[in-house]
Amino acid sequence: MNAVVSKEIRLVSRPVGMPTLENFELAEVTMPDLAEGQILLCNRWLTVDPYMRGRMYDTKSYVPPFQIGEALQGGAIGEVVESRNDAFPTGTFVNHMDGWREYAITDGAMLQKVDPDLAPLQTYLGAMGMPGLTAYGGLLTIGQPKEGETVFVSAASGAVGQLVCQIAKLKGCRVVGSAGGKEKCDWLTEVAGIDAAVDYKACANQEELQAAVAAVCPDGIDIYFENVGGDHLITALNLANPWARFPMCGTISSYNAMEKPDGIWNLFNVIGKRIRMEGFISFDYIGMAEDFTRDMSGWIKSGDIKLKEDVIEGVENTPQAFLNLFTGGNFGKMLVKLD
Amino acid sequence: MNAVVSKEIRLVSRPVGMPTLENFELAEVTMPDLAEGQILLCNRWLTVDPYMRGRMYDTKSYVPPFQIGEALQGGAIGEVVESRNDAFPTGTFVNHMDGWREYAITDGAMLQKVDPDLAPLQTYLGAMGMPGLTAYGGLLTIGQPKEGETVFVSAASGAVGQLVCQIAKLKGCRVVGSAGGKEKCDWLTEVAGIDAAVDYKACANQEELQAAVAAVCPDGIDIYFENVGGDHLITALNLANPWARFPMCGTISSYNAMEKPDGIWNLFNVIGKRIRMEGFISFDYIGMAEDFTRDMSGWIKSGDIKLKEDVIEGVENTPQAFLNLFTGGNFGKMLVKLD
């Protein structure tokens, strides 16, 4: 077998503020021969996710920072194309963290086999994977949705938000989502079936956003699923009902901030209204994985949950796919498809 | 019996920003004769508390706003001096909400008898009363202190803070408090027995406050008991450990804000660190009242908890006592003693 050449995306400089294509470079590496116990993975799908922006800063967090000059990492679905490990025969599909590249060699540790019959391969990077567990765990564990309650979801057509919206509907809630632009809002109400959608890009300021959300939340907000921060969080604090729960999943509006963001000036609402704000990341819900996989695969198969994916082709376009996350340039779960 | 004349404090205008003495007026009313079932209370102690500032705004909250031209309300310890209600014979002491005045007539509803043998009368407005239940319920229920954890308390020598500090010590925690000035800080370390105190008035800005707190919290912060807001909250978010709990009791730094306060710009910490911020008010812990009364009276009698009270005499000085809360002019639980 001829030596395999793999294209990969490397971080060449740490973004200051909004990342640009210049922060990344395409490189080629020749894959070495496999040692005993190793497998060669050919990636079929890559994912880009907002949390990766945090790893581009040189600061300690719950995951270590990316290193300059090295290939980036992230979730990927790979097919075993060569194997010296009996546990992973050729043709096996696995979910792993050596994304942003075409090929990867591994000894089989930290891999999860995925079943293409249970759900389409790429959904293991979305609804059936980390974003799905994030939505499922955060909404059900912190949000504790009850029938008839009102759930407000920001970034509602995004990878996590679209699932939160539809799980909340399945739990009998009134669901209101915010998204940027009419196309996304229409998808939310017409396809995902939520009760109302607010186009935040049509709101000139926080007051307008609040008025638009209030108009479709006549009974206030019982759960705010936070993906955005900033004006969305201020709005949710002002409109929250007593004993509201705020699963705090992300604050994408501040990920590229070069200065201190304006800040949340109305946290006093937390006290009088007894709001519970609680941060979480998907790892926290690994213990729910079995329930999650059963429920989510069932909902996808039954059509109770509709998936919106945004697919770009070619590893060389992974940086652009990533940048789209911060401009609202994506519509649905952002994925990169490789041949 | 001659007609009883009672002095009372009325709200004559709603404060804009920091309240002033001009927002209040002293008035006299002649108490009517008692109807069957009524009692006449002579107040011995009045309390002023930060939450009362909220009731001076004309906005809906968990308690209705004070009305212009009417006597203010608030906790008081009264003695029954005339009774047409067998349940409350003359000489009975009760905790009730007709404060800011010398005398009150009531039918006995919403009164709590207090036992002067269990604890000094005025403590039923402090450690044995609402501020005590606030400290006990918020720290134990939301804070969930574990031995060896670090607890940071703002407004640490105040009515609630001084109790949070000492309960946390009793639970085996390392306790750090912030207070304004050397005298308060010395009391905290030397009398209340906490591990370290930070004089926030000696810090020029948030960065200095954070450096001072970090220096005495080498293992980070596991619980932040929030009484202040603003720079204190920013500091606690930055220094919090993973899975930290923030009982949100008050944000006194913003109660008189005339414009939007600067805002909390670092809430992203809530996510990566999985911080739980939860608002509460004392009423929420009424169900703990029996345990609370037993524990707190025991701790006061044993000397495990030292009480710091700041006493002003005369109903006419109640507005000044109230204003002191917002300037740090009080040192300990602010009380008004009547003859």
Side-chain angles (χ1 to χ4, degrees):
Chain A
M1 187 171 175
N2 286 332
V4 171
V5 173
S6 174
K7 290 185 197 148
E8 64 183 30
I9 304 293
R10 294 176 180 170
L11 187 67
V12 290
S13 57
R14 298 197 182 280
V16 177
M18 180 69 78
T20 67
L21 293 177
E22 284 64 45
N23 297 125
F24 305 92
E25 70 172 5
L26 183 68
E28 290 192 354
V29 291
T30 301
M31 304 308 284
D33 290 337
L34 294 187
E36 185 58 36
Q38 288 186 327
I39 56 178
L40 178 66
L41 292 171
C42 177
N43 283 331
R44 301 303 181 196
W45 292 90
L46 309 178
T47 180
V48 288
D49 298 285
Y51 82 89
M52 294 171 174
R53 179 65 183 86
R55 294 189 68 185
M56 293 174 188
Y57 291 106
D58 191 19
T59 52
K60 195 181 81 171
S61 180
Y62 56 91
V63 279
F66 292 129
Q67 296 303 310
I68 301 288
E70 294 187 3
L72 291 145
Q73 294 171 300
I77 303 296
E79 180 178 354
V80 180
V81 291
E82 194 185 335
S83 177
R84 295 188 65 186
N85 183 325
D86 292 344
F88 296 95
T90 304
T92 306
F93 289 100
V94 298
N95 193 345
H96 66 111
M97 286 301 290
D98 285 327
W100 296 74
R101 71 198 76 185
E102 292 180 315
Y103 288 89
I105 289 175
T106 148
D107 61 4
M110 307 290 289
L111 300 188
Q112 261 199 308
K113 291 184 189 179
V114 298
D115 179 355
D117 295 329
L118 195 62
L121 273 184
Q122 74 278 15
T123 64
Y124 289 95
L125 299 175
M128 290 289 287
M130 185 272 285
L133 185 58
T134 299
Y136 183 92
L139 178 65
L140 300 184
T141 301
I142 300 175
Q144 303 265 352
K146 290 167 203 65
E147 199 172 328
E149 288 191 326
T150 298
V151 181
F152 176 45
V153 183
S154 53
S157 67
V160 173
Q162 64 178 265
L163 303 172
V164 173
C165 283
Q166 295 177 82
I167 298 170
K169 281 305 295 176
L170 289 168
K171 298 296 175 188
C173 297
R174 175 177 175 80
V175 178
V176 171
S178 81
K182 184 174 187 309
E183 189 188 8
K184 292 176 183 178
C185 288
D186 287 348
W187 182 84
L188 283 166
T189 51
E190 291 165 19
V191 181
I194 72 172
D195 297 281
V198 170
D199 178 2
Y200 76 87
K201 287 191 175 171
C203 301
N205 51 41
Q206 188 273 323
E207 289 74 13
E208 284 191 25
L209 176 64
Q210 182 166 327
V213 175
V216 290
C217 293
D219 299 321
I221 293 171
D222 299 296
I223 299 173
Y224 171 54
F225 196 98
E226 167 68 307
N227 288 313
V228 167
D231 287 348
H232 276 83
L233 180 53
I234 293 168
T235 294
L237 285 163
N238 284 340
L239 299 180
N241 289 326
W243 312 103
R245 289 82 64 197
F246 283 26
M248 302 288 283
C249 177
T251 58
I252 197 166
S253 70
S254 71
Y255 289 1
N256 298 311
M258 295 178 66
E259 298 176 1
K260 290 177 185 174
D262 272 351
I264 307 301
W265 53 267
N266 62 343
L267 274 174
F268 55 81
N269 281 293
V270 167
I271 299 167
K273 294 178 176 178
R274 289 86 137 193
I275 295 170
R276 181 157 52 87
M277 298 175 66
E278 192 167 344
F280 69 98
I281 60 175
S282 60
F283 304 151
D284 303 339
Y285 301 119
I286 288 294
M288 302 175 79
E290 198 176 324
D291 285 351
F292 159 69
T293 302
R294 182 198 61 232
D295 287 349
M296 188 62 76
S297 62
W299 290 329
I300 295 171
K301 282 192 171 166
S302 67
D304 282 330
I305 285 191
K306 309 286 196 305
L307 301 183
K308 179 66 187 169
E309 296 169 346
D310 193 337
V311 178
I312 283 186
E313 300 206 8
V315 68
E316 65 279 10
N317 291 317
T318 312
Q320 184 59 54
F322 177 69
L323 300 189
N324 287 352
L325 298 174
F326 301 100
T327 58
N330 64 312
F331 179 10
K333 172 69 191 113
M334 193 73 234
L335 293 161
V336 181
K337 188 175 192 303
L338 307 186
D339 292 327
Chain B
M1 184 170 177
N2 286 332
V4 172
V5 174
S6 173
K7 290 185 196 148
E8 63 182 32
I9 304 294
R10 294 176 181 170
L11 187 67
V12 291
S13 57
R14 299 197 182 280
V16 177
M18 181 70 77
T20 67
L21 293 176
E22 286 64 46
N23 298 126
F24 305 92
E25 71 173 3
L26 183 69
E28 291 193 353
V29 291
T30 301
M31 305 306 286
D33 291 336
L34 294 187
E36 185 58 37
Q38 288 186 327
I39 56 178
L40 178 65
L41 293 171
C42 177
N43 283 331
R44 301 303 181 196
W45 293 91
L46 309 178
T47 180
V48 288
D49 298 285
Y51 82 88
M52 295 170 173
R53 179 66 183 87
R55 295 189 68 185
M56 293 173 189
Y57 291 105
D58 191 20
T59 52
K60 195 180 79 171
S61 177
Y62 56 90
V63 279
F66 293 129
Q67 295 304 310
I68 300 288
E70 295 187 2
L72 292 145
Q73 295 170 298
I77 303 297
E79 180 179 355
V80 179
V81 291
E82 194 185 336
S83 177
R84 295 188 66 186
N85 183 325
D86 292 344
F88 297 94
T90 303
T92 306
F93 289 100
V94 299
N95 192 345
H96 64 112
M97 285 301 289
D98 285 328
W100 296 75
R101 71 198 76 184
E102 292 181 314
Y103 289 89
I105 290 175
T106 150
D107 61 5
M110 307 289 288
L111 301 187
Q112 262 198 307
K113 291 184 189 177
V114 299
D115 179 355
D117 295 328
L118 194 62
L121 273 183
Q122 74 278 13
T123 64
Y124 289 94
L125 299 175
M128 290 288 289
M130 185 271 285
L133 185 57
T134 300
Y136 182 92
L139 178 66
L140 299 184
T141 302
I142 300 174
Q144 303 264 352
K146 290 166 204 65
E147 200 172 326
E149 287 190 326
T150 297
V151 181
F152 177 45
V153 183
S154 52
S157 68
V160 173
Q162 63 179 268
L163 303 172
V164 173
C165 282
Q166 294 177 84
I167 298 170
K169 281 304 296 176
L170 289 167
K171 297 295 173 188
C173 298
R174 174 177 176 80
V175 178
V176 171
S178 81
K182 184 173 186 308
E183 189 187 8
K184 293 176 182 177
C185 288
D186 287 348
W187 182 85
L188 283 166
T189 51
E190 291 165 19
V191 181
I194 71 172
D195 297 281
V198 170
D199 178 2
Y200 75 86
K201 287 190 174 173
C203 301
N205 52 41
Q206 189 271 322
E207 288 76 13
E208 284 192 24
L209 176 65
Q210 183 166 327
V213 175
V216 290
C217 293
D219 299 321
I221 293 171
D222 299 297
I223 298 174
Y224 171 55
F225 197 99
E226 168 67 306
N227 289 312
V228 167
D231 287 349
H232 276 83
L233 181 53
I234 293 168
T235 294
L237 286 164
N238 283 340
L239 299 180
N241 288 327
W243 311 102
R245 289 82 64 198
F246 283 26
M248 302 288 282
C249 177
T251 58
I252 197 167
S253 69
S254 71
Y255 289 1
N256 298 311
M258 296 178 65
E259 298 177 1
K260 289 177 186 174
D262 271 354
I264 307 302
W265 54 268
N266 61 344
L267 274 174
F268 55 80
N269 281 292
V270 166
I271 298 167
K273 295 178 177 180
R274 287 84 138 196
I275 295 171
R276 180 157 52 87
M277 298 176 65
E278 191 166 345
F280 69 99
I281 61 176
S282 60
F283 305 151
D284 302 340
Y285 301 120
I286 288 294
M288 301 174 81
E290 197 175 328
D291 286 350
F292 159 67
T293 303
R294 182 198 60 233
D295 287 349
M296 187 62 75
S297 62
W299 290 329
I300 295 171
K301 282 192 171 167
S302 67
D304 282 330
I305 285 191
K306 310 285 196 304
L307 301 182
K308 179 67 188 169
E309 295 169 347
D310 193 337
V311 177
I312 284 186
E313 299 207 8
V315 68
E316 65 277 12
N317 292 317
T318 312
Q320 184 60 55
F322 177 68
L323 301 189
N324 287 353
L325 298 173
F326 302 100
T327 59
N330 64 312
F331 178 12
K333 172 68 191 114
M334 194 73 234
L335 293 161
V336 181
K337 188 174 191 302
L338 307 186
D339 291 328

